[in-house]
Amino acid sequence: MAIPVERLDDMLAEKSEVAEGWAVTDLSSAVWADERIHEAQVKINEIEKLAEERIEVLQRKIEVVEAWKEEAKKPYLETVSFFGAKLMLYLQQTINEQIEAGKKKIVKTLKLPFNKPAFKKKQPEIKRDDTQLLIWLEENHPEYIEHKPTVKWAELKKTLTQAEVDGKLVYIDSNGQVVPHIELTERPDEFTLG
């Protein structure tokens, strides 16, 4: 979507007013800068609102196309299902004939020009009650239990104190010892408009 010429003129005029070397020097210039920020935030909100409205319209169009796609595929999916079921019955029949003939190696696949229908062995579905399984494993096979120690960082941090040692920011524990393996990097204060 194009930005109206009036908006472009306003934006260019505002940018030329604020030269690179400009700075806030008093309360009046601070208020002026705050107005510029507020105006920019209002424009940002307008853009966000406009974009969301357009997205909603486009989303409805996408939903229409998605519904059409599903409806258009329906007869072809039915064809795949119908003939797939017939191929499954045929393959099952050929497997039964191989079993009745006493074959040792049963072929469970059809090699056709476009597809290779097959019966594939699936693993059984597994449902575990880990709580009860852990109790049983503790008594019978403790070697299959994983013990993962983790640091209770929130609790540990409450007991530590920050200090500067040899020009480095470190944590000190309650015994006065430097806690190794923790790196602290000072960061500048974050500026917010809120």
Side-chain angles (χ1 to χ4, degrees):
M1 172 174 251
I3 298 173
V5 174
E6 300 83 25
R7 277 185 164 172
L8 284 173
D9 290 342
D10 290 346
M11 290 164 57
L12 291 172
E14 186 174 310
K15 288 200 188 238
S16 65
E17 287 176 22
V18 182
E20 198 171 294
W22 185 85
V24 173
T25 57
D26 57 15
L27 184 57
S28 176
S29 60
V31 169
W32 185 84
D34 187 46
E35 287 174 12
R36 301 291 79 71
I37 291 169
H38 175 71
E39 290 169 0
Q41 289 170 331
V42 167
K43 293 292 184 189
I44 290 168
N45 289 338
E46 287 175 9
I47 291 167
E48 289 284 339
K49 185 179 178 195
L50 182 62
E52 287 301 319
E53 289 170 1
R54 293 301 306 146
I55 288 170
E56 284 180 34
V57 169
L58 294 172
Q59 189 61 45
R60 284 193 293 274
K61 288 180 180 181
I62 289 170
E63 289 168 4
V64 167
V65 172
E66 288 285 344
W68 167 82
K69 175 182 80 172
E70 293 306 316
E71 196 59 35
K73 288 181 354 183
K74 225 179 240 182
Y76 303 105
L77 291 170
E78 290 169 358
T79 298
V80 169
S81 179
F82 175 80
F83 287 106
K86 299 298 181 185
L87 284 172
M88 182 185 75
L89 291 173
Y90 173 71
L91 182 55
Q92 184 63 56
Q93 179 185 336
T94 62
I95 291 170
N96 290 342
E97 289 170 0
Q98 292 175 64
I99 292 170
E100 288 171 10
K103 288 195 172 183
K104 293 199 187 270
K105 186 175 182 190
I106 307 295
V107 178
K108 296 182 176 183
T109 304
L110 291 177
K111 293 180 182 173
L112 302 175
F114 302 105
N115 295 287
K116 292 184 175 39
F119 281 104
K120 295 183 179 177
K121 182 118 178 109
K122 289 179 76 174
Q123 293 294 320
E125 184 178 333
I126 300 171
K127 291 184 181 177
R128 297 187 325 238
D129 180 344
D130 281 352
T131 306
Q132 294 300 316
L133 182 57
L134 275 172
I135 292 169
W136 183 82
L137 285 172
E138 282 174 352
E139 295 171 7
N140 297 287
H141 296 284
E143 68 273 18
Y144 296 114
I145 298 176
E146 245 184 291
H147 296 284
K148 294 182 181 179
T150 58
V151 175
K152 296 177 184 173
W153 176 246
E155 294 175 32
L156 173 63
K157 187 176 174 188
K158 291 176 188 174
T159 68
L160 304 176
T161 308
Q162 286 185 20
E164 193 170 313
V165 176
D166 297 329
K168 284 183 148 184
L169 191 59
V170 295
Y171 273 127
I172 305 291
D173 69 7
S174 57
N175 298 326
Q177 295 180 334
V178 173
V179 180
H181 313 295
I182 300 175
E183 185 177 314
L184 298 172
T185 305
E186 285 198 59
R187 298 184 294 176
D189 293 344
E190 181 181 19
F191 174 75
T192 65
L193 292 172

